[in-house]
Each structure stands twice: as C-alpha cells, then as structure tokens.
C-alpha cells in the first residue's frame, strides 16, 4: 500500500465526522417527512370512512352545510392523493433507511479512526493505509449526499460545531444566544474578508 500522510488521514477523519452528522440529519429529516405524509394519509382516510357511513348528517352535527362539507372532502381527497404519491414515488421512508445505514457505516469507520488515534492527535504509521482503504471503500459503497443539499448541511454542521465549542467555554449561556454569536461573528469575518479583497484588487488595478 502507498504511504498516507498525516494531513490526509486528518482530513479523512474530519470528513467522516462531518458526513456522519449530515447523513444523520438527512435520516431524521426524511423520517419526519415520511411520518407527516403517513399521518396526512391516515387522517384523510379516516375522514372518508366516517363521512361515507354518516353522510350529510356528519356535517350537520358540526353545523356545516353540505356544500362546505363537499369542499372539505375535496381538499381531503387532494391531500390523500398527494400523500399517497409522495409515499410511493418519493419514498422518504426508503431514503431515511438508506441514510440510517450510511450513518451506521460512517460510525463504524470513524470508530476505527478513533481507536488508532494517539493522544497527540496523530495516527500510527502502520494503520494509516488500512484506515485510508476503509475510508475509500465507505464512500464507494454508501449512498451519496445530494449535491444540492451538501453545502447547506455542511454549513449547518460547522455552525453546530462552533456553537458546541462555545458551549464548552460558557455552559450557562443558552444555545440560541451562542448560535447567534457564531452567526454574527462569521458574518463580520466574511464582510471584512470581502472588503479586504476588494481593496487589494483596487490597489492592484490602480
């Protein structure tokens, strides 16, 4: 096996932590969406079942006219059809399962990196090739993170890391305030960098 540098292993370790968190976030998001679609379908089906047997008396009991009831049933039918298509075509539950599997696999490889990590934050030389091979195999055989979602999820992960770092130093401060501090601090840094780059370009053109 070819030698692997410390910087490369350190990069792979950071990517493992980041991508495991992103896959977990996608798993939770798709799980919430799948449950929401199933709840909508269940409620719509319940409404159809009740109104089928009760007829117009069901709406009269609630002081609703038959016309309004028909509109309500129309909306419920559209909701049922939409949720059914989402469940069958988009398959959020299946996506959640794939990202759950990816989260578990990333955790396993990440544990290998942690086991062989020294107290100085480096890795044993004889373990680097096998760790790099496990990293490459993981990315080759695991579901990809959607490109359109990656930047936003990566930014959210890094924001959480910075917020948690501040939380360690200021445990009594609410997370929402620390999160706001991180956002303001990064916005100031970004504006300074933009202004400095603009000034340097103007100086070089003059």
């Amino acid at each position: 096996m070819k030698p692997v540098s410390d910087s490369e292993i350190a990069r792979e370790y950071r990517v493992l932590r980041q991508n495991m968190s992103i896959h977990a976030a996608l798993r939770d998001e798709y799980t919430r969406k799948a449950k929401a679609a199933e709840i909508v379908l269940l409620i719509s089906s319940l409404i159809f079942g009740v109104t089928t047997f009760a007829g117009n008396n069901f709406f009269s009991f609630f002081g609703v006219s038959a016309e309004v009831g028909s509109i309500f049933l129309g909306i419920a039918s559209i909701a049922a059809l939409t949720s059914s298509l989402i469940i069958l075509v988009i398959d959020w539950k299946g996506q959640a399962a794939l990202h759950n599997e990816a989260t578990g696999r990333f955790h396993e490889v990440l544990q290998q990196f942690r086991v062989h990590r020294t107290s100085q934050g480096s890795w044993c030389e004889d373990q680097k090739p096998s760790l790099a091979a496990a990293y490459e195999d993981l990315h080759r055989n695991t579901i990809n993170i959607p490109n359109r979602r990656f930047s936003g999820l990566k930014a959210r992960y890094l924001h959480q890391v910075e917020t948690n770092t501040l939380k360690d130093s200021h445990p009594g401060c609410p997370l929402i305030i620390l999160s706001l501090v991180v956002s303001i601090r990064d916005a100031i840094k970004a504006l300074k960098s933009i202004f400095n780059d603009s000034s340097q370009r103007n100086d070089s053109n003059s």
Side-chain angles (χ1 to χ4, degrees):
M1 294 185 180
K2 64 179 182 179
V4 184
S5 65
D6 286 335
S7 60
E8 176 59 20
I9 290 293
R11 184 195 69 81
E12 292 176 356
Y13 180 66
R14 290 195 302 271
V15 172
L16 284 171
R17 295 175 59 190
Q18 169 189 286
N19 286 6
M20 185 183 73
S21 178
I22 291 176
H23 279 294
L26 288 170
R27 174 200 62 197
D28 296 342
E29 177 186 325
Y30 287 131
T31 298
R32 288 193 301 270
K33 289 181 176 180
K35 287 183 177 179
E38 290 173 349
I39 290 172
V40 170
L41 180 60
L42 179 62
I43 293 175
S44 301
S45 300
L46 180 61
I47 291 172
F48 283 126
V50 171
T51 54
T52 297
F53 290 102
N56 292 334
N57 292 331
F58 175 80
F59 299 109
S60 300
F61 178 79
F62 292 99
V64 177
S65 66
E67 291 76 10
V68 174
S70 298
I71 295 174
F72 182 73
L73 283 178
I75 295 173
S77 66
I78 294 174
L81 177 61
T82 302
S83 58
S84 298
L85 290 175
I86 287 174
I87 292 172
L88 293 174
V89 178
I90 300 181
D91 191 19
W92 279 329
K93 182 177 287 187
Q95 291 294 315
L98 290 174
H99 286 289
N100 182 57
E101 179 184 358
T103 301
R105 295 195 62 193
F106 268 84
H107 181 264
E108 291 176 1
V109 176
L110 184 59
Q111 284 300 102
Q112 295 180 36
F113 274 69
R114 286 172 174 166
V115 166
H116 298 292
R117 195 183 188 199
T118 67
S119 57
Q120 290 76 31
S122 59
W123 284 265
C124 301
E125 196 66 34
D126 59 338
Q127 295 295 332
K128 290 179 184 178
S130 61
L131 292 175
Y135 174 88
E136 183 178 350
D137 180 70
L138 174 65
H139 282 81
R140 185 167 54 244
N141 297 292
T142 306
I143 184 173
N144 293 325
I145 298 169
N147 290 331
R148 61 186 178 80
R149 302 292 309 281
F150 180 76
S151 296
L153 290 169
K154 179 181 178 180
R156 187 169 72 177
Y157 165 76
L158 294 175
H159 185 89
Q160 290 175 342
V161 170
E162 291 295 323
T163 302
N164 291 334
T165 301
L166 284 180
K167 187 65 176 177
D168 292 337
S169 303
H170 311 282
C173 186
L175 275 175
I176 189 171
I177 294 178
L178 295 176
S179 177
L180 182 61
V181 168
V182 171
S183 297
I184 294 174
R185 184 191 64 188
D186 289 347
I188 293 174
K189 287 182 179 179
L191 290 173
K192 286 183 177 179
S193 176
I194 293 172
F195 287 137
N196 289 336
D197 290 343
S198 178
S199 297
Q200 290 176 0
R201 285 196 299 268
N202 291 335
D203 292 339
S204 62
N205 293 332
S206 61

